[in-house]
Amino acid sequence: IGATPAGTWAIGVGLDDIKFIDNLTSQLRVAYFEGTSSIKKDNTPVGKNAFMDYGVLGTKDHGFEVNLDNVYKIYENLSLYAELGYINLSLKEQPDDFQKNAFKGYVGFRYSF
């Protein structure tokens, strides 16, 4: 997490080049991660906003994410991209234990020549 004293470990798996329909290629990724930092919320200069300001994940913090990315080749030079993602972050080292959920969605075209 950048140049902070924070640490994490993670494990992930992915399936690449999934094809069920002609000209449609998909990629699926799943990852789980946990913090390894022994810095507590009271020892940081920002107090209760340690994660928000420094990206510090404590030993009780964890999360997971799932991403599905798709490319549909419309023509030889034109492709449609569609990406979906979800991440769940559970911060137990914060003063008020809370969970954060985030979603992403993206649709775009790419023309190459």
Side-chain angles (χ1 to χ4, degrees):
I1 301 180
T4 68
T8 59
W9 71 265
I11 187 166
V13 294
L15 297 173
D16 195 15
D17 204 24
I18 304 168
K19 294 182 181 179
F20 293 114
I21 301 172
D22 287 342
N23 300 326
L24 177 66
T25 303
S26 300
Q27 181 183 61
L28 177 66
R29 294 182 312 276
V30 178
Y32 176 81
F33 55 92
E34 286 187 4
T36 61
S37 178
S38 60
I39 294 176
K40 301 295 184 209
K41 61 184 177 287
D42 297 332
N43 296 338
T44 61
V46 292
K48 67 180 182 176
N49 294 319
F51 175 77
M52 299 304 173
D53 292 343
Y54 288 116
V56 174
L57 290 180
T59 56
K60 296 179 184 175
D61 300 333
H62 63 276
F64 69 92
E65 68 176 294
V66 178
N67 290 287
L68 177 64
D69 300 338
N70 303 286
V71 179
Y72 182 70
K73 195 166 193 81
I74 300 170
Y75 298 111
E76 182 179 345
N77 296 341
L78 180 63
S79 298
L80 170 67
Y81 286 75
E83 299 178 1
L84 296 172
Y86 170 76
I87 188 167
N88 175 276
L89 180 60
S90 180
L91 301 174
K92 303 295 184 186
E93 295 288 336
Q94 297 296 314
D96 303 316
D97 292 347
F98 64 94
Q99 287 190 323
K100 292 287 185 179
N101 296 304
F103 298 90
K104 79 167 185 173
Y106 166 81
V107 176
F109 292 92
R110 178 179 174 190
Y111 182 79
S112 59
F113 52 93

